[in-house]
Amino acid sequence: MRDGVGLGCALAWIAILGLFVPCEVRAQTLSVEETEDLVRSRYFEGLPEDQASQIGPEGAARLVEMLADPGERANHDHVLLALGLCGAPGAFDAIADWAQSPRTGDVDRDAFKAWQALPYALGHLSRHDPRAFGPLEAQLAAGPPRWRFRHHRGGRLARLARHAAANALAETGSPEARRALDRAVRNSTDPEFDAHLRDARARHAQRVREQSR
């Protein structure tokens, strides 16, 4: 039920936004077909962020549908990232619904790739929607999930989740992200994760310097 409500809310927000987008801005956005092609293509160096940021309300609404469609699961990693990068008003609800979907036992490669993309999608989205910081900070203290992928399971998955959340926060260069990283340092009792957090804070500082130029 929650998935259906979340999908409906996300699509409603995006539809409302489309009513207020000026014509000259719409002309610069990707069409629905271009949006589909973007997230269905394979890339050696990752999803093109500049193109994903040009996705408009109609394309974002299509992404929300694709994220809820099991038939598109091979593209869910790119769909998550694209929703975060375009920052549509319904993106947070759609991403949160996907993240909270129950998973147990063995998952396939597509689900694992999307799970790996999730923190970076939230990091991108945090530039548009500050609610994204909440689940990112929560992931800094992630426990072992109830699912597994090949040799990835238990504590190994928890470690991957924590490291990815720290990396995604560092890349934002935002004050909120720095505060989250600082709190994680104070609360951590894991020497290995402490070292990773120190590296993340250093990368965050570098991002701040780059953004101020």
Side-chain angles (χ1 to χ4, degrees), residues 5 22 56 64-65 71 99 101 108 126 148 178 184 201 204 206 210:
V5 173
V64 171
E65 293 174 345
S101 297
D108 61 19
S126 69
R148 57 191 175 271
R178 177 58 192 239
R201 291 200 297 181
H204 179 278
Q206 178 63 32
E210 292 171 355

Side-chain angles (χ1 to χ4, degrees), residues 111-212:
F112 184 66
K113 288 193 305 177
W115 176 80
Q116 289 179 302
L118 174 63
Y120 299 99
L122 289 168
H124 291 309
L125 183 60
S126 69
R127 298 181 174 92
H128 308 278
D129 189 335
R131 292 179 297 171
F133 284 112
L136 262 183
E137 183 168 6
Q139 191 167 318
L140 290 173
R146 300 176 63 185
W147 54 268
R148 57 191 175 271
F149 172 68
R150 297 180 181 174
H151 62 284
H152 297 288
R153 61 186 66 206
R156 184 187 184 98
L157 284 172
R159 183 167 61 253
L160 288 175
R162 292 194 297 266
H163 284 205
N167 294 342
L169 285 165
E171 287 301 312
T172 69
S174 71
E176 293 88 346
R178 177 58 192 239
R179 288 192 288 270
L181 291 170
D182 289 344
R183 285 190 290 269
V185 168
R186 291 195 297 269
N187 295 331
S188 175
T189 58
D190 180 347
E192 187 273 337
F193 188 43
D194 290 346
H196 187 82
L197 287 169
R198 287 194 295 271
D199 289 342
R201 291 200 297 181
R203 280 182 277 119
H204 179 278
Q206 178 63 32
R207 289 291 292 149
V208 171
R209 289 192 293 271
E210 292 171 355
Q211 292 169 2
S212 65

Side-chain angles (χ1 to χ4, degrees), residues 34 43 51 53-54 65 72 87 94 102 104 152 157 173 191 198:
E34 290 170 331
Y43 305 97
Q51 293 183 46
S53 65
Q54 296 173 2
E65 293 174 345
E72 293 283 354
T104 58
H152 297 288
L157 284 172
R198 287 194 295 271

Side-chain angles (χ1 to χ4, degrees), residues 2-3 92-103 115 118 135:
R2 187 187 186 284
D3 289 348
F92 179 80
D93 291 328
I95 292 173
D97 279 344
W98 185 91
Q100 294 169 16
S101 297
R103 296 176 181 85
W115 176 80
L118 174 63

Side-chain angles (χ1 to χ4, degrees), residues 26-113:
R26 292 180 190 175
Q28 300 171 4
T29 61
L30 299 185
S31 68
V32 172
E33 292 76 15
E34 290 170 331
T35 298
E36 291 176 339
D37 288 343
L38 179 69
V39 298
R40 286 172 176 161
S41 299
R42 300 296 100 185
Y43 305 97
F44 290 110
E45 298 182 356
L47 184 75
E49 296 184 4
D50 56 340
Q51 293 183 46
S53 65
Q54 296 173 2
I55 295 171
E58 293 181 353
R62 177 65 183 125
L63 291 177
V64 171
E65 293 174 345
M66 293 175 73
L67 192 58
D69 182 358
E72 293 283 354
R73 64 182 180 275
N75 307 307
H76 280 177
D77 55 338
H78 286 170
V79 172
L80 286 165
L81 291 170
L83 280 169
L85 285 159
C86 74
F92 179 80
D93 291 328
I95 292 173
D97 279 344
W98 185 91
Q100 294 169 16
S101 297
R103 296 176 181 85
T104 58
D106 293 306
V107 302
D108 61 19
R109 180 175 178 80
D110 293 331
F112 184 66
K113 288 193 305 177

